[in-house]
Amino acid sequence: MIEPLVFRSSSSEETENIGKTIASFLHPKDIVFLSGDLGAGKTTLMKGVSSEWTGTNPAEITSPTFTYLHIYGEEKKVYHFDLYRLSSPSDFFSMGFHEFLSSNGICCIEWPDRLPENFPYAKVCIDISYDELDKRLITLRRMDALI
Ligand code: ADP
Ligand code: MG
């Protein structure tokens, strides 16, 4: 297993910037799992990832909690899923995942534990944890051999 990258953040601005750094480690067609409690900072991190990857203004990057999916960018796209409210795991595939597969984008999934069992794709796993105030520990693991 490849050594994880660990980042420490003390503010949402720092987390957004860490997202920008993480975007520079990603490759087209990467699938990224984002884990962590509600309010951990997954969507904040995605502001950085999506703005860096697509050139979208961070102010336009919002949580797809109620729509499951936001897509950003033209040439280089981000498919940002939030599966918190997904009731039937198999719905995921018809929700835009197939479109992602035929694109050159990256796919980032909040609440990946809601995915169908044995989801078969290689992935980058990011975990955000916190125990005090605004401090966050962000751990990134690549599960394939690209880095
Ligand atoms: P999630 O998507 O994991 O539910 P959000 O990114 O939507 O979380 O929300 C994170 C909340 O925590 C925001 O209100 C943000 O301002 C706050 N926050 C405080 N400190 C941090 C930090 N270091 N990193 C990220 N968010 C932080
Ligand atoms: Mg979120």
Side-chain angles (χ1 to χ4, degrees):
M1 163 103 145
I2 304 152
E3 284 296 301
L5 287 174
V6 179
F7 304 87
R8 282 183 175 74
S9 164
S10 306
S11 67
S12 48
E13 291 75 21
E14 259 187 75
T15 297
E16 195 175 317
N17 282 329
I18 290 165
K20 291 185 182 184
T21 302
I22 287 175
S24 66
F25 299 139
L26 299 176
H27 307 276
K29 299 206 184 278
D30 270 349
I31 295 171
V32 179
F33 284 6
L34 289 145
S35 305
D37 291 343
L38 265 183
K42 302 178 292 298
T43 300
T44 305
L45 189 87
M46 281 307 300
K47 271 186 186 271
V49 171
S50 299
S51 60
E52 185 71 11
W53 186 264
T54 67
T56 305
N57 181 340
E60 290 169 24
I61 295 163
T62 55
S63 177
T65 309
F66 294 99
T67 49
Y68 301 114
L69 171 65
H70 284 165
I71 303 173
Y72 301 102
E74 299 288 336
E75 298 261 304
K76 288 178 83 183
K77 290 190 176 186
V78 169
Y79 290 75
H80 178 189
F81 289 91
D82 181 335
L83 304 184
Y84 189 64
R85 288 165 197 279
L86 185 70
S87 46
S88 170
S90 56
D91 287 349
F92 172 72
F93 292 105
S94 57
M95 274 170 29
F97 185 69
H98 281 130
E99 185 190 314
F100 156 71
L101 286 176
S102 59
S103 80
N104 209 23
I106 57 172
C107 172
C108 303
I109 306 172
E110 295 186 40
W111 300 100
D113 53 310
R114 309 304 205 250
L115 284 166
E117 269 183 43
N118 303 322
F119 182 78
Y121 299 94
K123 55 197 173 283
V124 176
C125 292
I126 297 173
D127 186 71
I128 308 182
S129 62
Y130 63 107
D131 52 9
E132 53 161 319
L133 294 171
D134 293 345
K135 302 228 186 304
R136 304 289 193 271
L137 191 69
I138 301 167
T139 308
L140 181 151
R141 292 182 180 81
R142 262 213 101 93
M143 315 305 277
D144 60 23
L146 281 174
I147 229 173

